């Protein structure tokens, strides 16, 4: 949550519309925002270009084993 939601870091999307047309869209396109928020109703996201941020050199990993599953 430190850097916001993941959709704020998307720079470009390759999408396929319902009619089969493949497009590459950026933040200036209305289809860009519709594809991010539309849950597949406006276009299927085929590829996303993300802006990355630096990660700490040490990362903790937690493994939980559940006996009742």
């Amino acid at each position: 949550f430190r850097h916001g939601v993941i959709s704020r870091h998307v720079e470009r999307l390759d999408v396929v519309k319902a009619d089969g047309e493949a497009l590459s869209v950026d933040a200036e396109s209305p289809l860009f925002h519709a594809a991010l928020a539309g849950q597949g109703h406006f276009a299927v996201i085929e590829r996303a270009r993300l802006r990355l941020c630096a990660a700490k050199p040490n990362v903790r990993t937690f493994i939980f084993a559940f006996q009742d599953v």
Side-chain angles (χ1 to χ4, degrees):
F1 298 110
R2 180 177 298 154
H3 300 286
V5 295
I6 191 65
S7 60
R8 292 190 55 173
H9 300 279
V10 178
E11 294 181 346
R12 176 170 289 283
L13 294 173
D14 291 345
V15 298
V16 178
K17 295 188 339 183
D19 63 1
E21 182 182 6
L23 298 170
S24 183
V25 294
D26 60 10
E28 296 179 10
S29 169
L31 183 56
F32 175 87
H33 300 286
L36 283 178
Q39 299 176 352
H41 291 268
F42 297 98
V44 175
I45 299 172
E46 187 176 52
R47 184 179 307 159
R49 182 179 191 168
L50 304 174
R51 181 175 52 254
L52 301 178
C53 58
K56 293 181 180 180
N58 296 325
V59 177
R60 292 183 189 170
T61 302
F62 297 95
I63 298 173
F64 296 99
F66 296 97
Q67 301 298 326
D68 60 346
V69 176

Coordinates of all heavy atoms in Angstrom, one line a residue:
F1 N 0.8 -1.2 0.0 CA 0.0 0.0 0.0 C 0.9 1.3 0.0 O 0.4 2.3 -0.2 CB -0.9 0.0 1.2 CG -1.9 -1.2 1.2 CD1 -1.8 -2.2 2.1 CD2 -2.9 -1.2 0.2 CE1 -2.6 -3.3 2.0 CE2 -3.8 -2.3 0.2 CZ -3.6 -3.3 1.1
R2 N 2.1 1.1 0.2 CA 3.0 2.2 0.3 C 3.1 3.0 -1.0 O 3.2 4.2 -1.1 CB 4.4 1.8 0.7 CG 5.4 2.9 0.8 CD 6.8 2.3 1.2 NE 6.6 1.8 2.6 CZ 7.4 0.8 3.1 NH1 8.3 0.3 2.4 NH2 7.2 0.4 4.3
H3 N 3.0 2.3 -2.1 CA 3.1 2.9 -3.5 C 1.8 3.0 -4.2 O 1.8 3.3 -5.4 CB 4.1 2.1 -4.3 CG 5.5 2.1 -3.7 ND1 6.3 3.1 -3.6 CD2 6.1 1.1 -3.0 CE1 7.5 2.8 -3.0 NE2 7.4 1.6 -2.6
G4 N 0.7 2.7 -3.6 CA -0.6 2.8 -4.2 C -1.0 1.5 -4.9 O -0.3 0.5 -4.8
V5 N -2.2 1.6 -5.5 CA -2.7 0.4 -6.1 C -1.9 0.1 -7.4 O -1.3 1.0 -8.0 CB -4.2 0.5 -6.4 CG1 -5.0 0.6 -5.2 CG2 -4.5 1.7 -7.3
I6 N -1.9 -1.2 -7.8 CA -1.1 -1.6 -9.0 C -1.5 -0.8 -10.3 O -0.7 -0.5 -11.1 CB -1.1 -3.1 -9.2 CG1 -0.1 -3.6 -10.2 CG2 -2.5 -3.6 -9.6 CD1 1.3 -3.3 -9.8
S7 N -2.8 -0.5 -10.4 CA -3.2 0.1 -11.6 C -2.6 1.5 -11.8 O -2.6 2.0 -12.9 CB -4.8 0.2 -11.7 OG -5.3 1.0 -10.6
R8 N -2.2 2.1 -10.8 CA -1.5 3.5 -10.9 C -0.1 3.3 -11.5 O 0.4 4.3 -12.0 CB -1.3 4.1 -9.5 CG -2.7 4.5 -8.9 CD -2.5 5.3 -7.7 NE -1.7 6.5 -8.1 CZ -1.4 7.5 -7.2 NH1 -1.9 7.5 -6.0 NH2 -0.7 8.5 -7.6
H9 N 0.4 2.1 -11.6 CA 1.8 1.9 -12.1 C 1.8 1.4 -13.6 O 2.8 1.1 -14.1 CB 2.6 1.0 -11.2 CG 2.7 1.5 -9.8 ND1 3.6 2.5 -9.5 CD2 2.0 1.3 -8.7 CE1 3.5 2.8 -8.2 NE2 2.5 2.1 -7.7
V10 N 0.6 1.2 -14.1 CA 0.5 0.7 -15.5 C 0.7 1.9 -16.5 O 0.1 2.9 -16.4 CB -0.9 0.1 -15.8 CG1 -1.0 -0.4 -17.2 CG2 -1.2 -1.0 -14.8
E11 N 1.7 1.6 -17.4 CA 2.0 2.7 -18.4 C 1.4 2.4 -19.7 O 1.0 3.4 -20.4 CB 3.5 2.7 -18.6 CG 4.3 3.2 -17.3 CD 5.7 3.3 -17.5 OE1 6.3 2.7 -18.5 OE2 6.4 3.9 -16.7
R12 N 1.2 1.2 -20.1 CA 0.7 0.8 -21.5 C 0.1 -0.6 -21.4 O 0.5 -1.4 -20.6 CB 1.8 0.8 -22.5 CG 1.4 0.4 -23.9 CD 2.5 0.7 -24.9 NE 2.7 2.1 -25.1 CZ 1.9 2.8 -25.9 NH1 0.9 2.3 -26.5 NH2 2.1 4.1 -26.1
L13 N -1.0 -0.7 -22.2 CA -1.7 -2.0 -22.3 C -1.8 -2.5 -23.7 O -2.1 -1.7 -24.6 CB -3.1 -1.9 -21.7 CG -3.3 -1.7 -20.2 CD1 -4.7 -1.4 -19.9 CD2 -2.7 -2.8 -19.4
D14 N -1.6 -3.8 -23.9 CA -2.0 -4.4 -25.2 C -3.3 -5.1 -24.9 O -3.3 -6.0 -24.0 CB -0.9 -5.4 -25.7 CG 0.4 -4.7 -26.1 OD1 0.4 -3.4 -26.3 OD2 1.4 -5.3 -26.2
V15 N -4.3 -4.7 -25.6 CA -5.6 -5.3 -25.4 C -6.2 -5.9 -26.7 O -5.8 -5.5 -27.8 CB -6.6 -4.2 -24.8 CG1 -6.1 -3.7 -23.5 CG2 -6.8 -3.1 -25.8
V16 N -7.2 -6.7 -26.5 CA -8.0 -7.3 -27.6 C -9.4 -6.9 -27.3 O -10.0 -7.3 -26.3 CB -7.8 -8.8 -27.7 CG1 -8.7 -9.3 -28.9 CG2 -6.3 -9.1 -28.0
K17 N -10.1 -6.2 -28.3 CA -11.5 -5.8 -28.1 C -12.4 -7.0 -28.5 O -11.9 -8.0 -29.1 CB -11.8 -4.6 -29.0 CG -11.0 -3.4 -28.6 CD -11.4 -2.1 -29.3 CE -12.0 -2.2 -30.6 NZ -12.3 -0.9 -31.3
A18 N -13.6 -6.8 -28.2 CA -14.6 -7.9 -28.5 C -14.7 -8.3 -30.0 O -15.0 -9.4 -30.3 CB -16.0 -7.5 -28.0
D19 N -14.4 -7.3 -30.9 CA -14.5 -7.6 -32.3 C -13.2 -8.2 -32.8 O -13.0 -8.5 -34.0 CB -14.8 -6.3 -33.1 CG -13.7 -5.3 -33.0 OD1 -12.7 -5.5 -32.3 OD2 -13.9 -4.2 -33.5
G20 N -12.2 -8.5 -31.9 CA -11.0 -9.2 -32.3 C -9.8 -8.2 -32.6 O -8.7 -8.7 -32.9
E21 N -10.1 -6.9 -32.6 CA -9.1 -6.0 -32.9 C -8.1 -5.8 -31.8 O -8.5 -5.7 -30.6 CB -9.7 -4.6 -33.2 CG -8.7 -3.5 -33.6 CD -9.4 -2.2 -33.8 OE1 -10.6 -2.0 -33.5 OE2 -8.7 -1.3 -34.2
A22 N -6.8 -6.0 -32.1 CA -5.7 -5.9 -31.1 C -5.2 -4.4 -31.1 O -4.9 -3.9 -32.2 CB -4.6 -6.8 -31.3
L23 N -5.1 -3.8 -29.9 CA -4.6 -2.4 -29.8 C -3.6 -2.3 -28.7 O -3.6 -3.1 -27.7 CB -5.8 -1.5 -29.5 CG -6.9 -1.4 -30.5 CD1 -8.1 -0.6 -29.8 CD2 -6.5 -0.7 -31.7
S24 N -2.7 -1.3 -28.8 CA -1.8 -0.9 -27.8 C -2.3 0.5 -27.3 O -2.3 1.4 -28.1 CB -0.4 -0.9 -28.3 OG 0.5 -0.6 -27.2
V25 N -2.6 0.6 -26.1 CA -3.2 1.9 -25.6 C -2.4 2.4 -24.4 O -1.8 1.6 -23.6 CB -4.7 1.8 -25.2 CG1 -5.5 1.5 -26.4 CG2 -4.9 0.7 -24.2
D26 N -2.4 3.7 -24.2 CA -1.7 4.3 -23.0 C -2.7 5.1 -22.2 O -3.9 5.1 -22.5 CB -0.5 5.1 -23.4 CG -0.9 6.3 -24.3 OD1 -2.0 6.6 -24.5 OD2 0.1 6.9 -24.8
A27 N -2.3 5.8 -21.2 CA -3.2 6.5 -20.3 C -4.0 7.6 -21.0 O -5.0 8.1 -20.4 CB -2.4 7.1 -19.2
E28 N -3.7 8.0 -22.2 CA -4.5 9.1 -22.9 C -5.7 8.5 -23.6 O -6.6 9.2 -24.0 CB -3.6 9.8 -23.9 CG -2.4 10.6 -23.2 CD -1.6 11.3 -24.2 OE1 -1.9 11.3 -25.4 OE2 -0.5 11.8 -23.8
S29 N -5.8 7.2 -23.6 CA -6.9 6.5 -24.3 C -8.0 6.2 -23.3 O -7.7 5.6 -22.2 CB -6.4 5.3 -25.0 OG -7.5 4.5 -25.4
P30 N -9.3 6.4 -23.6 CA -10.4 6.0 -22.8 C -10.5 4.5 -22.6 O -10.8 4.0 -21.5 CB -11.6 6.6 -23.5 CG -11.2 7.6 -24.4 CD -9.8 7.2 -24.8
L31 N -10.0 3.8 -23.6 CA -10.0 2.3 -23.5 C -9.0 1.8 -22.5 O -9.3 0.8 -21.9 CB -9.7 1.7 -24.9 CG -9.8 0.2 -25.0 CD1 -11.1 -0.3 -24.5 CD2 -9.4 -0.3 -26.4
F32 N -8.0 2.5 -22.3 CA -7.0 2.2 -21.2 C -7.6 2.1 -19.9 O -7.5 1.1 -19.2 CB -5.8 3.2 -21.3 CG -4.8 3.1 -20.2 CD1 -3.7 2.2 -20.4 CD2 -4.9 3.8 -19.0 CE1 -2.7 2.1 -19.4 CE2 -3.9 3.6 -18.0 CZ -2.9 2.8 -18.2
H33 N -8.3 3.2 -19.5 CA -9.0 3.2 -18.2 C -10.2 2.2 -18.1 O -10.4 1.6 -17.1 CB -9.5 4.6 -17.9 CG -8.3 5.6 -17.9 ND1 -7.4 5.7 -16.9 CD2 -7.9 6.5 -18.8 CE1 -6.5 6.6 -17.1 NE2 -6.8 7.1 -18.3
A34 N -10.9 2.1 -19.2 CA -12.0 1.1 -19.2 C -11.5 -0.3 -19.1 O -12.1 -1.1 -18.4 CB -12.8 1.3 -20.5
A35 N -10.4 -0.6 -19.7 CA -9.8 -2.0 -19.6 C -9.3 -2.3 -18.2 O -9.5 -3.4 -17.7 CB -8.7 -2.2 -20.6
L36 N -8.7 -1.3 -17.6 CA -8.2 -1.5 -16.2 C -9.3 -1.7 -15.2 O -9.2 -2.5 -14.3 CB -7.4 -0.3 -15.7 CG -5.9 -0.2 -16.3 CD1 -5.3 1.1 -15.8 CD2 -5.2 -1.4 -15.9
A37 N -10.4 -1.0 -15.4 CA -11.5 -1.0 -14.4 C -12.7 -1.9 -14.8 O -13.6 -2.1 -14.1 CB -12.0 0.4 -14.1
G38 N -12.7 -2.3 -16.1 CA -13.9 -3.0 -16.6 C -14.0 -4.4 -16.4 O -15.0 -5.0 -16.9
Q39 N -13.1 -5.1 -15.7 CA -13.2 -6.5 -15.4 C -13.5 -7.4 -16.7 O -14.3 -8.3 -16.7 CB -14.3 -6.8 -14.4 CG -14.0 -6.1 -13.1 CD -15.1 -6.3 -12.1 OE1 -16.2 -6.8 -12.4 NE2 -14.9 -5.9 -10.9
G40 N -12.9 -7.0 -17.8 CA -13.0 -7.8 -19.0 C -14.2 -7.4 -19.9 O -14.5 -8.0 -20.9
H41 N -15.0 -6.5 -19.5 CA -16.3 -6.1 -20.2 C -15.9 -5.3 -21.5 O -16.7 -5.3 -22.4 CB -17.2 -5.3 -19.3 CG -17.8 -6.2 -18.3 ND1 -19.0 -6.8 -18.4 CD2 -17.4 -6.5 -17.0 CE1 -19.3 -7.5 -17.3 NE2 -18.3 -7.3 -16.5
F42 N -14.8 -4.6 -21.5 CA -14.5 -3.7 -22.6 C -13.4 -4.2 -23.5 O -13.4 -4.0 -24.7 CB -14.1 -2.3 -22.1 CG -15.2 -1.6 -21.3 CD1 -15.2 -1.6 -20.0 CD2 -16.2 -0.9 -22.0 CE1 -16.3 -1.0 -19.3 CE2 -17.2 -0.3 -21.4 CZ -17.3 -0.4 -20.0
A43 N -12.4 -4.9 -22.9 CA -11.3 -5.5 -23.6 C -10.6 -6.5 -22.7 O -10.7 -6.4 -21.5 CB -10.3 -4.4 -24.1
V44 N -9.9 -7.4 -23.3 CA -9.1 -8.4 -22.6 C -7.7 -7.9 -22.6 O -7.1 -7.6 -23.7 CB -9.2 -9.8 -23.2 CG1 -8.2 -10.8 -22.6 CG2 -10.6 -10.3 -23.2
I45 N -7.0 -7.8 -21.5 CA -5.7 -7.3 -21.4 C -4.7 -8.5 -21.7 O -4.8 -9.5 -21.1 CB -5.3 -6.8 -20.0 CG1 -6.2 -5.6 -19.6 CG2 -3.9 -6.4 -19.9 CD1 -6.1 -5.2 -18.2
E46 N -4.0 -8.3 -22.8 CA -3.0 -9.3 -23.3 C -1.7 -9.1 -22.7 O -1.0 -10.1 -22.4 CB -3.0 -9.2 -24.8 CG -2.2 -10.3 -25.5 CD -2.3 -10.1 -27.0 OE1 -2.0 -9.0 -27.5 OE2 -2.7 -11.1 -27.6
R47 N -1.3 -7.8 -22.5 CA 0.1 -7.5 -22.0 C 0.0 -6.2 -21.3 O -0.7 -5.3 -21.7 CB 1.1 -7.5 -23.1 CG 2.5 -7.2 -22.6 CD 3.5 -7.2 -23.8 NE 3.3 -8.4 -24.6 CZ 3.7 -8.5 -25.9 NH1 4.2 -7.5 -26.5 NH2 3.5 -9.6 -26.5
A48 N 0.7 -6.0 -20.2 CA 0.7 -4.7 -19.5 C 2.2 -4.3 -19.2 O 3.0 -5.2 -18.9 CB 0.0 -4.9 -18.1
R49 N 2.5 -3.1 -19.4 CA 3.8 -2.5 -19.1 C 3.7 -1.7 -17.8 O 2.9 -0.8 -17.7 CB 4.2 -1.6 -20.3 CG 5.6 -1.0 -20.0 CD 6.0 -0.1 -21.2 NE 7.4 0.2 -21.0 CZ 8.1 0.8 -22.0 NH1 7.5 1.1 -23.1 NH2 9.4 1.0 -21.8
L50 N 4.5 -2.1 -16.8 CA 4.4 -1.6 -15.5 C 5.6 -0.7 -15.2 O 6.7 -1.1 -15.6 CB 4.2 -2.7 -14.4 CG 3.1 -3.6 -14.6 CD1 3.1 -4.7 -13.6 CD2 1.8 -2.9 -14.5
R51 N 5.4 0.3 -14.4 CA 6.5 1.1 -13.9 C 6.9 0.5 -12.6 O 6.1 0.3 -11.7 CB 6.1 2.6 -13.7 CG 7.1 3.5 -13.1 CD 6.6 4.9 -13.1 NE 5.3 5.1 -12.4 CZ 4.1 5.3 -13.0 NH1 4.0 5.4 -14.3 NH2 3.0 5.4 -12.3
L52 N 8.1 0.1 -12.4 CA 8.6 -0.6 -11.2 C 9.2 0.3 -10.2 O 9.6 1.4 -10.5 CB 9.7 -1.7 -11.6 CG 9.2 -2.7 -12.6 CD1 10.4 -3.7 -12.9 CD2 8.0 -3.5 -12.1
C53 N 9.2 -0.1 -9.0 CA 9.8 0.7 -7.9 C 10.9 -0.2 -7.2 O 10.8 -1.4 -7.3 CB 8.8 1.2 -6.9 SG 7.8 -0.1 -6.2
A54 N 11.8 0.4 -6.6 CA 12.9 -0.3 -5.9 C 12.4 -1.1 -4.8 O 11.5 -0.7 -4.1 CB 13.9 0.7 -5.4
A55 N 12.9 -2.3 -4.6 CA 12.6 -3.2 -3.5 C 13.7 -3.2 -2.5 O 14.9 -3.0 -2.9 CB 12.3 -4.6 -4.0
K56 N 13.4 -3.5 -1.3 CA 14.5 -3.6 -0.3 C 15.3 -4.9 -0.6 O 14.9 -5.8 -1.2 CB 13.8 -3.8 1.1 CG 13.1 -2.6 1.6 CD 12.5 -2.8 2.9 CE 11.8 -1.6 3.4 NZ 11.2 -1.8 4.8
P57 N 16.6 -4.8 -0.2 CA 17.5 -6.0 -0.5 C 17.1 -7.2 0.2 O 17.4 -8.3 -0.2 CB 18.9 -5.5 -0.2 CG 18.7 -4.3 0.8 CD 17.3 -3.7 0.4
N58 N 16.5 -7.1 1.4 CA 16.1 -8.2 2.2 C 14.6 -8.4 2.2 O 13.9 -7.4 2.4 CB 16.6 -8.1 3.6 CG 18.1 -8.0 3.8 OD1 18.8 -8.7 3.0 ND2 18.6 -7.2 4.7
V59 N 14.2 -9.6 1.9 CA 12.8 -9.8 1.8 C 12.4 -11.0 2.8 O 13.2 -12.0 2.8 CB 12.4 -10.2 0.4 CG1 10.9 -10.6 0.3 CG2 12.7 -9.1 -0.6
R60 N 11.4 -10.9 3.5 CA 10.9 -11.9 4.4 C 9.9 -12.8 3.7 O 9.1 -12.4 3.0 CB 10.3 -11.4 5.6 CG 11.2 -10.6 6.5 CD 10.5 -10.2 7.8 NE 11.3 -9.3 8.5 CZ 10.9 -8.6 9.6 NH1 9.7 -8.7 9.9 NH2 11.8 -7.8 10.2
T61 N 10.1 -14.1 3.9 CA 9.1 -15.1 3.3 C 8.5 -15.8 4.5 O 9.2 -16.3 5.4 CB 9.9 -16.1 2.4 OG1 10.5 -15.3 1.3 CG2 8.9 -17.0 1.8
F62 N 7.2 -15.9 4.4 CA 6.4 -16.6 5.4 C 5.7 -17.8 4.8 O 5.1 -17.7 3.7 CB 5.4 -15.7 6.1 CG 6.0 -14.6 6.8 CD1 6.1 -13.3 6.2 CD2 6.5 -14.7 8.1 CE1 6.7 -12.3 6.9 CE2 7.0 -13.7 8.8 CZ 7.2 -12.4 8.2
I63 N 5.8 -19.0 5.4 CA 5.1 -20.2 4.9 C 4.2 -20.6 6.0 O 4.7 -20.9 7.2 CB 6.1 -21.3 4.5 CG1 7.0 -20.8 3.4 CG2 5.4 -22.5 4.1 CD1 8.1 -21.8 3.0
F64 N 3.0 -20.8 5.7 CA 2.0 -21.2 6.7 C 1.4 -22.6 6.2 O 1.0 -22.7 5.1 CB 0.8 -20.2 6.8 CG 1.2 -18.9 7.3 CD1 1.4 -17.8 6.4 CD2 1.4 -18.7 8.7 CE1 1.8 -16.6 6.9 CE2 1.8 -17.4 9.1 CZ 2.0 -16.4 8.2
A65 N 1.4 -23.5 7.1 CA 0.9 -24.8 6.9 C -0.4 -25.0 7.6 O -0.5 -24.8 8.8 CB 1.8 -25.9 7.2
F66 N -1.5 -25.3 6.9 CA -2.8 -25.4 7.6 C -3.2 -26.9 7.6 O -3.2 -27.6 6.5 CB -3.9 -24.6 6.8 CG -3.6 -23.1 6.9 CD1 -3.0 -22.5 5.8 CD2 -4.0 -22.4 8.0 CE1 -2.8 -21.1 5.8 CE2 -3.8 -21.0 8.0 CZ -3.2 -20.4 6.9
Q67 N -3.5 -27.4 8.7 CA -3.8 -28.8 8.9 C -5.2 -29.2 8.5 O -5.6 -30.3 8.2 CB -3.5 -29.3 10.3 CG -2.1 -29.1 10.8 CD -1.1 -29.9 10.0 OE1 -1.4 -31.0 9.5 NE2 0.0 -29.3 9.7
D68 N -6.1 -28.2 8.5 CA -7.5 -28.4 8.2 C -8.0 -28.2 6.8 O -9.1 -28.2 6.5 CB -8.4 -27.6 9.1 CG -8.2 -26.1 8.9 OD1 -7.2 -25.7 8.3 OD2 -9.0 -25.3 9.4
V69 N -7.0 -28.1 5.9 CA -7.4 -27.8 4.5 C -7.2 -29.1 3.7 O -6.3 -29.9 3.8 CB -6.5 -26.7 3.9 CG1 -6.8 -26.6 2.4 CG2 -6.7 -25.5 4.6

